[in-house]
Amino acid sequence: MRVAITGAHGVGKSTLAAELSGVLAVPVLSTPGRTLASRGLPVNEDATVASQAVAWLLQYRFEREQPAWVAPRSLIDVWAYTVQAAERHVPMPVEAALLQEVERSTPIAVAERYDHLIYIPPRIALQGDDVRPSGEAFQRSTDEAIVSALARWQIPHTTLDVRDRSAVQALIDRLAADASTL
């Protein structure tokens, strides 16, 4: 089973991924942002189109290295951060080409890749950490890009309010039942 969780930073994706990983007995994938940060490459508001293209390739590779997993990030999220990087800086021609290819490749790469895609809107208090930024405006613009992409690319997904514990449990139960039939 391949479960990806999409949403802006600080919405509860990693927490949900850890819980699903235990129930489904599949690993949680690494996130490209933390990988980039560990390599000293720019992330979040400092990201560039080039660093986000690397993040997109990392996410793509992480998703293909194992047959079953839970991903606390999706290619859609990485695309959203790439778009924001392009909006902050006038892209050089190579960056503009990278952005265009990430834009074209994301819906193709996502199509039928995820057994389940869960979208988590920002509903909990945002807390920054060593990688995740604490700016709500950046979180909101990331979320808007993700919501727009889900609609424009007509990507099937489940929206989950992580504050609603009964909804979270119902989703976990449904995914566990789906996993038992595989």
Side-chain angles (χ1 to χ4, degrees):
M1 179 170 286
R2 298 173 311 242
V3 179
I5 305 170
T6 190
H9 53 281
V11 297
K13 295 184 308 292
S14 295
T15 302
L16 179 62
E19 190 170 0
L20 288 173
S21 172
V23 170
L24 301 174
V26 297
V28 174
L29 295 182
S30 296
T31 61
R34 293 194 185 276
T35 302
L36 290 178
S38 73
R39 294 178 182 176
L41 298 173
V43 296
N44 301 315
E45 288 113 331
D46 296 328
T48 64
V49 170
S51 70
Q52 285 307 122
V54 172
W56 194 94
L57 290 167
L58 284 167
Q59 182 69 32
Y60 184 86
R61 178 172 59 85
F62 293 161
E63 291 179 6
R64 276 149 182 81
E65 286 179 329
Q66 299 184 54
W69 39 260
V70 174
R73 176 76 56 220
S74 78
L75 289 165
I76 299 161
D77 305 30
V78 182
W79 165 83
Y81 287 107
T82 309
V83 169
Q84 290 187 91
E87 290 172 356
R88 284 190 304 275
H89 311 287
V90 176
M92 300 298 288
V94 169
E95 290 180 316
L98 282 170
L99 176 63
Q100 184 177 42
E101 292 310 317
V102 167
E103 171 86 21
R104 289 178 176 170
S105 299
T106 301
I108 295 166
V110 168
E112 301 179 20
R113 176 67 190 153
Y114 305 136
D115 296 314
H116 295 278
L117 178 64
I118 303 161
Y119 161 66
I120 301 178
R123 303 247 168 89
I124 59 176
L126 179 60
Q127 296 178 351
D129 62 16
D130 59 328
V131 174
R132 182 181 20 229
S134 59
E136 289 183 13
F138 184 55
Q139 183 192 49
R140 192 171 35 259
S141 64
T142 303
D143 181 69
E144 289 168 359
I146 291 167
V147 169
S148 171
L150 290 170
R152 187 169 32 127
W153 296 331
Q154 300 178 353
I155 298 172
H157 63 280
T158 299
T159 300
L160 180 67
D161 182 344
V162 295
R163 299 172 305 174
D164 182 349
R165 191 61 207 164
S166 63
V168 171
Q169 190 58 55
L171 175 71
I172 290 169
D173 293 344
R174 188 177 92 219
L175 294 179
D178 287 354
S180 69
T181 63
L182 294 179

